[in-house]
Amino acid sequence: QPGLRLVFCGTAPGTVSAQRKQYYAHPQNKFWRTLHKTGLTSRLLAPSEYPLLVEFGIGLTDIAKHVSGMDCQLPRGSLGREAAAALRMKIKKNRPRILAFTSLTGGQRVMGSKAAFGRQQIQICDTEVWILPSPSPAAHWNWDETVWQKLAERALSGRPKTS
């Protein structure tokens, strides 16, 4: 929706999330704990409470909207050009202050193969773009909470959104 300060974007819902119809629902996923720990939410939310994120100025989406599973299980093309273009159009229309990809794979599919963790040099219109280490238990090998903390500091800095 328009007016959000921060939108998190995954690649596609994982199996547990798809079954429960809740974002980041795997019990070992670090997403909800990290939102609270970094100060993006004032309390620890359960995955079932994801609709409450708008009260914190936060939205959720995925690149692939009609499939689920681990990235390696997704049908060919699910994270391709068309899906990336559709996401870009959604961001241009709704203009959040910050778009944060919750995985390197997702970020690279939209921002290019050379994109790395952290704030990106290229924006989508006037939306800042960040790429974060995945909170998924399957991606534990690249977990680094410091990038999430830097994003939270930026998102909470109160910089007004330009229209």
Side-chain angles (χ1 to χ4, degrees):
Q1 72 184 42
L4 296 173
R5 78 173 155 198
L6 175 58
V7 171
F8 287 102
C9 182
T11 51
T15 305
V16 174
S17 294
Q19 288 170 348
R20 295 183 183 174
K21 295 181 174 43
Q22 301 168 358
Y23 286 89
Y24 305 98
H26 191 288
Q28 293 175 345
N29 194 297
K30 299 173 192 74
F31 181 81
W32 298 103
R33 290 185 302 276
T34 304
L35 289 190
H36 178 60
K37 188 173 181 182
T38 60
L40 287 168
T41 59
S42 57
R43 68 176 180 87
L44 178 60
L45 298 172
S48 62
E49 296 179 291
Y50 76 87
L52 298 178
L53 280 178
V54 295
E55 296 174 18
F56 298 96
I58 298 172
L60 299 170
T61 194
D62 293 299
I63 298 170
K65 297 300 287 178
H66 305 290
V67 296
S68 62
M70 293 179 64
D71 292 352
C72 63
Q73 299 170 324
L74 299 178
R76 186 175 174 92
S78 298
L79 303 174
R81 262 184 239 168
E82 289 180 21
L87 174 68
R88 284 178 173 276
M89 290 304 296
K90 191 183 301 184
I91 296 304
K92 287 177 182 178
K93 178 183 174 193
N94 294 295
R95 301 173 66 157
R97 192 174 129 209
I98 299 171
L99 170 65
F101 292 97
T102 58
S103 74
L104 184 58
T105 297
Q108 289 180 337
R109 294 299 173 110
V110 176
M111 302 305 293
S113 62
K114 295 186 188 221
F117 293 125
R119 185 176 174 188
Q120 304 302 295
Q121 295 295 318
I122 299 170
Q123 297 189 160
I124 299 176
C125 286
D126 59 348
T127 298
E128 275 182 30
V129 178
W130 287 67
I131 299 176
L132 306 170
S134 174
S136 168
H140 182 72
W141 60 272
N142 74 1
W143 180 247
D144 181 0
E145 193 174 289
T146 58
V147 182
W148 284 76
Q149 187 62 52
K150 288 177 185 177
L151 166 71
E153 290 167 8
R154 181 72 174 167
L156 296 170
S157 69
R159 181 178 64 90
K161 174 95 170 91
T162 57
S163 306

